[in-house]
Amino acid sequence: MEQTTKKIIIAIDGFSSCGKSTFAKAIAARLGYIFIDTGAMYRAVTLCALEQGAITAEAVDVEKVVSLLPEINISFRFNAERGASDVYVNGECVEHKIRSIEVSNAVSRISSIGAVREKLVAMQQQMGCQKGVVMDGRDIGTVVFPAAELKIFMTADPKVRAERRYAELKAKGDDVTMDEILENVISRDKADMTREISPLRQADDAVVLDNSHMSVEEQMAWFMERYEGIVNA
Ligand code: DC
């Protein structure tokens, strides 16, 4: 564990399938920081909305989703086997359920609801108020922690991201084509960037990490240089 007295907030935003969570998790492990995957929180609310019948193929019952919010109690518990925290809803571990294709397909409609964002942003601010956190998402450096000491905006060539996702899904045994994955990556980028509330955008003071052609080790070296520059300043 890195010995340092100065704890900071590290905000990681960027496009989907860039390896943000892998990168954030590795940083947190290296620094002994807490890693918070905010996408998992939007997925957890989406799972509840699906289970309660608030989402159909045609529409989202926004009023119903909003009425469910006070009953959705989200928490994280560290899972030593994974080296990361699992997400829980009302005491039930939903880490697997939130990664399903049904949740993935519906989550952008739920994450565009203002009341959902308000609740989750307030929780995220509470979780990070002691510092010593690495938080990844879409609006961490712009909305959740605009004063974060280190903001990283991650990006990679859409084709490279699609290839990585394709390999992951194929390894899981999913029957997918490269074309549909690329189309999904491009359409998710568009949905994230054009959303009315808190769209994905690079904070003015964020540093860009394009990892299209970088190994995990190279990304870590890139990170440590910036991190040390800040904590030793
Ligand atoms: O990072 P992810 O793919 O698990 O995120 C799931 C969805 O939640 C994705 O559609 C973007 C959205 N999201 C968001 O709007 N704001 C965040 N801070 C994190 C994720």
Side-chain angles (χ1 to χ4, degrees):
M1 197 174 106
E2 189 87 355
Q3 284 303 313
T4 176
T5 47
K6 185 175 172 183
K7 294 242 179 207
I8 64 168
I9 292 177
I10 300 165
I12 302 182
D13 292 304
F15 294 102
S16 66
S17 302
C18 264
K20 289 193 301 295
S21 294
T22 309
F23 181 60
K25 204 165 92 175
I27 291 172
R30 172 96 183 236
L31 304 180
Y33 275 25
I34 293 166
F35 160 53
I36 298 164
D37 171 2
T38 63
M41 299 167 77
Y42 289 94
R43 287 172 179 272
V45 173
T46 305
L47 176 69
C48 296
L50 279 166
E51 288 180 344
Q52 299 298 319
I55 305 174
T56 62
E58 296 79 39
V60 170
D61 184 341
V62 174
E63 250 175 58
K64 187 161 180 177
V65 175
V66 173
S67 76
L68 291 172
L69 287 176
E71 289 152 38
I72 303 176
N73 185 5
I74 299 172
S75 56
F76 286 95
R77 278 183 224 165
F78 191 71
N79 177 338
E81 242 172 69
R82 276 199 328 118
S85 295
D86 290 334
V87 66
Y88 284 71
V89 172
N90 300 336
E92 184 204 350
C93 178
V94 293
E95 188 57 41
H96 288 292
K97 285 189 186 170
I98 61 164
R99 311 285 166 194
S100 72
I101 192 78
E102 289 78 19
V103 170
S104 298
N105 285 340
V107 64
S108 57
R109 291 190 286 163
I110 296 300
S111 64
S112 63
I113 300 172
V116 171
R117 301 203 72 84
E118 244 170 64
K119 174 180 167 117
L120 298 188
V121 166
M123 272 186 74
Q124 290 153 12
Q125 289 170 333
Q126 183 62 36
M127 291 192 273
C129 68
Q130 306 283 332
K131 302 209 175 186
V133 293
V134 187
M135 206 174 268
D136 97 71
R138 304 292 190 285
D139 59 344
I140 311 305
T142 51
V143 176
V144 182
F145 286 113
E149 290 86 348
L150 178 51
K151 298 180 187 176
I152 298 170
F153 189 83
M154 279 180 79
T155 182
D157 184 322
K159 272 200 189 137
V160 173
R161 287 188 280 140
E163 275 160 17
R164 288 176 187 160
R165 185 104 190 96
Y166 178 74
E168 254 171 45
L169 293 172
K170 276 286 183 193
K172 277 205 308 182
D174 287 4
D175 182 22
V176 287
T177 66
M178 204 26 220
D179 281 352
E180 65 181 315
I181 300 293
L182 181 59
E183 203 179 296
N184 179 265
V185 164
I186 292 169
S187 77
R188 283 212 284 165
D189 286 357
K190 191 169 171 215
D192 281 344
M193 287 189 298
T194 56
R195 176 172 68 211
E196 217 166 283
I197 313 167
S198 307
L200 171 65
R201 70 169 182 83
Q202 186 190 325
D204 294 338
D205 51 351
V207 278
V208 176
L209 172 60
D210 181 337
N211 69 1
S212 305
H213 306 290
M214 283 171 91
S215 66
V216 174
E217 293 73 28
E218 284 168 336
Q219 291 177 60
M220 187 54 80
W222 178 96
F223 166 77
M224 287 309 289
E225 209 175 294
R226 272 133 200 101
Y227 167 77
E228 276 165 5
I230 290 168
V231 294
N232 297 324

